[in-house]
Amino acid sequence: MSLRRSFPTVSRGLAVAALALVLAACSTLNGLGALLGNEVRFTPMQLQGSLDRNFPKHYDKLGGLVSLTLMNPRLTIPQGSNRLRVDFDLGLGALGSDSSKPSGHFALTSALRYDPGTRGLHLQDPRIEQVDVPSLGGAMNGSSRALLNSWMGEYSREEPIYRFDNSLLDKLGSRRIGTTAIESGTVVVHLDQ
């Protein structure tokens, strides 16, 4: 066999091997964070999938006099930002009225932190960026702002927006999770040695 005839076979073999590596990397990105050296990266789509599974959420406040339902979360990472943005449809109810239908919208931005107790990524320093509730005249009054701030504080302490699964934690082995940052449109969890 001449060298000229074996070259296309070798080239095809290398192309197949490269394609297999790319497909393996893509399958890691689908359900889990991508483990790259000393960091794990999550795309907005991965975080969105987690939010979709965990909403809508209904809260009763003041002994049921006021109710709040948050639904249809939409997560983005604005270009050049080190904070993510989550937009929600908001249902408000008072004195037993229905809060399951959207009556407005609000948006928050937040950094993220890892909590070993929940094995998840939580909102850190969330800020309300935009509120539009036509039933309240389009603006947010003091009681609705207090209700949203109360929800954000409770949610950011207790509930992760993304929970690490056992498969990802097994891949991390003995490495400890360090800081969490938002870089170049992805969430980056840095690992300590």
Side-chain angles (χ1 to χ4, degrees):
M1 180 188 264
S2 76
L3 186 57
R4 283 187 201 151
R5 287 187 196 183
S6 65
F7 182 72
T9 304
V10 171
S11 295
R12 273 184 261 154
L14 289 174
V16 169
L19 181 61
L21 286 172
V22 168
L23 290 175
C26 288
S27 69
T28 301
L29 286 170
N30 283 338
L32 308 171
L35 178 59
L36 304 168
N38 287 330
E39 60 188 36
V40 181
R41 290 189 174 261
F42 296 93
T43 66
M45 188 182 314
Q46 290 168 301
L47 301 179
Q48 180 68 53
S50 178
L51 285 172
D52 289 343
R53 288 187 296 277
N54 291 302
F55 279 86
K57 292 203 177 287
H58 181 81
Y59 301 91
D60 285 321
K61 298 292 182 183
L62 303 174
L65 292 176
V66 178
S67 62
L68 168 73
T69 302
L70 297 171
M71 57 199 103
N72 308 319
R74 297 167 301 281
L75 185 141
T76 57
I77 299 177
Q79 186 172 5
S81 179
N82 62 354
R83 294 171 67 82
L84 56 82
R85 177 182 169 114
V86 186
D87 289 78
F88 292 94
D89 290 331
L90 170 70
L92 289 173
L95 301 172
S97 64
D98 185 19
S99 68
S100 66
K101 292 184 174 58
S103 57
H105 164 269
F106 91 98
L108 64 85
T109 62
S110 182
L112 291 174
R113 66 177 173 82
Y114 177 75
D115 184 325
T118 63
R119 301 176 352 165
L121 297 174
H122 290 252
L123 298 177
Q124 179 175 339
D125 303 321
R127 286 186 222 135
I128 296 173
E129 296 292 331
Q130 177 186 6
V131 178
D132 180 25
V133 184
S135 63
L136 300 175
M140 179 181 250
N141 63 25
S143 61
S144 56
R145 180 173 290 280
L147 188 62
L148 281 177
N149 281 322
S150 170
W151 170 79
M152 283 195 316
E154 183 180 318
Y155 183 79
S156 64
R157 275 189 312 277
E158 298 176 8
E159 296 186 51
I161 65 165
Y162 186 89
R163 194 177 304 271
F164 286 34
D165 67 11
N166 289 333
S167 177
L168 178 57
L169 292 171
D170 289 346
K171 287 181 182 181
L172 298 181
S174 63
R175 290 184 282 185
R176 293 174 25 97
I177 295 173
T179 60
T180 302
I182 297 173
E183 302 170 358
S184 304
T186 61
V187 174
V188 181
V189 177
H190 298 279
L191 304 175
D192 297 333
Q193 292 296 347

